[in-house]
Amino acid sequence: MFAAAIDRFGGPEAITGHALPVPPLDADEVMIAVDTAGVGSWDADVREGYYAPRNPHFPLVLGYDGSGIVAAVGSRVRRLKVGDEVYSYNWENPKGGFYAEYVAVPADKVAPIPKRLDLRHAGAIPITGLTALQGIDDALKLKKGETIIIHAASGGVGTLAVQFARLRGARVLATASGLEGVELVQELGAHMTIDGKRADIDDQARRFAPDGVDAILALAGGDALEKCMNVLRPGGRLAHPNGIEPAPKKRRGLELIRYDGISGVREFERLNAAVQAAKLKVVIAECYSLAHAYKAHERLAEGHVVGKIVLSIHAS
Ligand SMILES: NC(=O)c1ccc[n+]([C@@H]2O[C@H](COP(=O)([O-])OP(=O)(O)OC[C@H]3O[C@@H](n4cnc5c(N)ncnc54)[C@H](OP(=O)(O)O)[C@@H]3O)[C@@H](O)[C@H]2O)c1
């Protein structure tokens, strides 16, 4: 099969095309003929060796989420069958990731795609969708009528979190990057939007919630987040997925919740229900062919990606 893989840790140019054997399939696994693979900052971290095991195994096929069609199922798999359209998030990929024509994944990390999405759009959201929904529902336990700042909302996780927060009946202030980012999160349903790189972000946010906001979902760290935290009411909650830099420090009187997006059967059932109920819009910023995976990483490194970058495995 064709795959985009690295033979060493390094920059985007380390990703090259490889002819590799189709991974072997274990009894509790599903073989997915990949249609779309997600590209996120964590892929670049792995490419650079940030999460490197002591004896990394090369060639290493990148990619932790995506969508496709079930090509084979292991002997113990009952929930899925050949031909199903599925999506998946699997952080542990010892047999190789989603930047490939085929990937073998434990069946409990695979789910039918939501009815309202096609393979391309479903493939863009396993990691970001699970992380957004679990931030709103599990970490923050956001309730109807509460106010929330979704900080750095114009990226992969934030564009979905805005819609899930609206689905739960919250009033949403979204900070985004640049005019396109601000316009996008407004279209996605934010009640108020601010360019998060403006100096007076806290003054603006106070107009939204004069008594302070109930919750913050932080998708970037730094000065702007610190300013948002000034607007959190006493006893308010701040949640962020691990990985934002710099991670915010605990302050007296606020509840700080760090979390990771979790993949599993129940988690995907909840995501599918929320996608349906929210009539979710998935914003694909750019789509690259598998052979051009290195270009997708060059684009990621340039920054200011509004929405999500994906790879289309069968595009030329
Ligand atoms: N632990 C987990 O399970 C998990 C899972 C998913 C994601 N994450 C982490 O969550 C974070 C968000 O992920 P993502 O995929 O959504 O990232 P992303 O697509 O890069 O989105 C971040 C967005 O925030 C914008 N932004 C940055 N600084 C801002 C500011 N001061 N004000 C307003 N907007 C700002 C960025 O715009 P510019 O590019 O123009 O600055 C970008 O649009 C990352 O740190 C990622 O590592 C963790």
Side-chain angles (χ1 to χ4, degrees):
M1 67 173 187
F2 185 66
I6 57 173
D7 296 305
R8 59 177 173 84
F9 296 120
E13 71 291 345
I15 306 174
T16 56
H18 286 64
L20 296 175
V22 171
L25 189 66
D26 286 339
D28 58 354
E29 288 181 334
V30 171
M31 183 76 73
I32 303 173
V34 184
D35 177 274
T36 298
V39 177
S41 56
W42 43 89
D43 294 337
D45 292 341
V46 172
R47 189 201 70 220
E48 285 176 353
Y50 187 70
Y51 297 110
R54 215 166 267 175
N55 296 309
H57 180 72
F58 294 116
L60 190 157
V61 180
L62 298 171
Y64 300 91
D65 70 341
S67 64
I69 294 175
V70 175
V73 295
S75 57
R76 286 207 292 269
V77 175
R78 299 283 172 268
R79 216 169 38 81
L80 297 160
K81 60 180 190 317
V82 171
D84 286 352
E85 293 190 325
V86 292
Y87 67 156
S88 171
Y89 165 30
N90 185 37
W91 182 250
E92 302 293 337
N93 276 328
K95 299 179 183 177
F98 287 76
Y99 289 17
E101 287 181 297
Y102 293 94
V103 64
V105 185
D108 61 354
K109 310 284 187 208
V110 183
I113 61 172
K115 283 194 191 71
R116 61 175 288 109
L117 299 183
D118 58 16
L119 280 171
R120 173 70 49 85
H121 291 84
I125 67 160
I127 294 180
T128 51
L130 291 167
T131 305
L133 187 65
Q134 289 165 21
I136 297 296
D137 282 353
D138 302 341
L140 290 171
K141 300 183 173 54
L142 196 65
K143 302 277 180 319
K144 190 172 176 181
E146 287 193 313
T147 49
I148 182 170
I149 297 177
I150 300 182
H151 175 57
S154 39
V157 179
T159 50
L160 306 179
V162 166
Q163 299 175 76
F164 293 142
R166 285 296 312 261
L167 176 67
R168 299 303 179 226
R171 284 187 62 233
V172 179
L173 165 58
T175 75
S177 170
L179 187 58
E180 324 80 88
V182 166
E183 283 177 355
L184 175 65
V185 293
Q186 195 160 11
E187 275 166 33
L188 294 174
H191 294 92
M192 182 176 170
T193 53
I194 305 178
D195 185 333
K197 297 188 178 175
R198 283 179 59 138
D200 61 345
I201 179 170
D202 42 355
D203 294 341
Q204 300 247 344
R206 258 186 215 101
R207 286 201 285 131
F208 173 76
D211 298 328
V213 292
D214 297 302
I216 297 175
L217 181 63
L219 302 167
D223 289 348
L225 175 59
E226 296 293 329
K227 287 188 173 175
C228 292
M229 289 166 71
N230 295 340
V231 187
L232 197 56
R233 71 162 169 76
R237 298 100 74 197
L238 164 65
H240 71 85
N242 290 308
I244 70 165
E245 293 285 344
K249 294 204 173 60
K250 175 126 185 62
R251 289 188 194 177
R252 187 197 296 247
L254 74 76
E255 190 185 349
L256 178 63
I257 307 136
R258 302 190 171 107
Y259 74 101
D260 289 309
I262 294 171
S263 176
V265 175
R266 178 80 194 107
E267 286 73 19
F268 273 113
E269 282 171 1
R270 288 171 48 201
L271 180 60
N272 282 14
V275 167
Q276 210 62 24
K279 299 188 172 61
L280 195 79
K281 294 193 189 91
V282 177
V283 180
I284 295 181
E286 274 163 78
C287 179
Y288 293 84
S289 69
L290 185 54
H292 286 157
Y294 71 97
K295 287 193 178 176
H297 278 230
E298 284 171 355
R299 176 65 194 88
L300 198 64
E302 281 168 23
H304 199 52
V305 176
V306 175
K308 173 84 186 170
I309 296 177
V310 296
L311 301 180
S312 174
I313 303 306
H314 301 291
S316 51

